[in-house]
Amino acid sequence: MLPPFPENLDKDQEKQYTAAWWNIFFLVIGSIKALLLVICVIFVFLLFDIQPTAFWKKKEINYTTKSTYVPIVDADDRIENGIHVSSGLKFDENFELVRANCTACHSGKLIAQNRATREGWQQMIRWMQATQNLWDLGSKEPKILDYLEKHYAPQEVGRRATIDVAEVEWYILNIE
Ligand code: HEC
């Protein structure tokens, strides 16, 4: 198993030589064991879909799976058809920001009833800041505007429907 000893070794040297080979042998076995362990750990992580980064990353709320959104504090925090029932606001990204900053003085329904462009919403915010003591929204303002623009934009009128020629009642224009 071991390569042949060099010639002319005395008993002690022979022992040392053998021991050295055994050391190398165990080192190799130990490395293979460590490697197998690492592979096993990776395998377990893959098998159970564990993401190691999840341990130190902040959990992101997944707004698309509304039914699994957990932090429901009271019964009024129900979400139905994507609408947060008690405030009447769309439950989506930045909802918490809007709830925190926009429902202190009036109901969220006042917001949900209104439609405006981003600029329009910004003007309303400026108006409330100038006359109603609404505070400075700072870096939260763009996010709040994102939310308002996304959900409470003016309804699009779209194209007029195509004319169904067969259905039109034609008449002769009488110019006189
Ligand atoms: C400091 C109190 C306060 C806060 C906070 C506040 N508002 Fe208002 N808002 C008012 C008052 C007061 C009115 C006028 C209510 C009325 O006319 O009955 C108003 C009116 C409105 C209106 C109706 C405007 C109209 O033309 O009818 C909308 C829409 C609105 N707010 C949206 C928001 C949004 C969006 C936020 C969050 C960025 C917000 N409000 C935060 C005080 C506030």
Side-chain angles (χ1 to χ4, degrees), residues 120-133:
W121 281 113
Q122 195 171 31
Q123 280 166 19
M124 272 189 253
I125 289 174
R126 293 286 170 276
W127 171 79
M128 281 179 281
Q129 282 168 335
T131 62
Q132 312 297 337
N133 289 330

Side-chain angles (χ1 to χ4, degrees), residues 21-86:
W21 272 110
W22 278 115
N23 278 344
I24 293 173
F25 177 72
F26 284 123
L27 198 71
V28 170
I29 295 289
S31 310
I32 292 173
K33 272 195 206 161
L35 203 69
L36 280 177
L37 189 72
V38 170
I39 291 172
C40 283
V41 168
I42 291 175
F43 185 74
V44 166
F45 271 49
L46 290 178
L47 196 68
F48 295 101
D49 198 21
I50 304 170
Q51 289 179 323
T53 49
F55 294 121
W56 58 82
K57 253 195 199 156
K58 204 176 123 239
K59 268 236 163 96
E60 275 189 23
I61 302 167
N62 185 355
Y63 286 98
T64 54
T65 53
K66 279 143 196 145
S67 55
T68 60
Y69 178 67
V70 198
I72 285 185
V73 210
D74 58 70
D76 257 328
D77 265 343
R78 278 175 301 125
I79 315 293
E80 276 171 19
N81 301 322
I83 301 221
H84 179 254
V85 175
S86 68

Side-chain angles (χ1 to χ4, degrees), residues 101-102 105-106 110-111 114 121 124 128 132-135:
N101 288 282
C102 304
C105 307
H106 48 68
L110 188 64
I111 300 167
N114 273 274
W121 281 113
M124 272 189 253
M128 281 179 281
Q132 312 297 337
N133 289 330
L134 172 60
W135 45 87

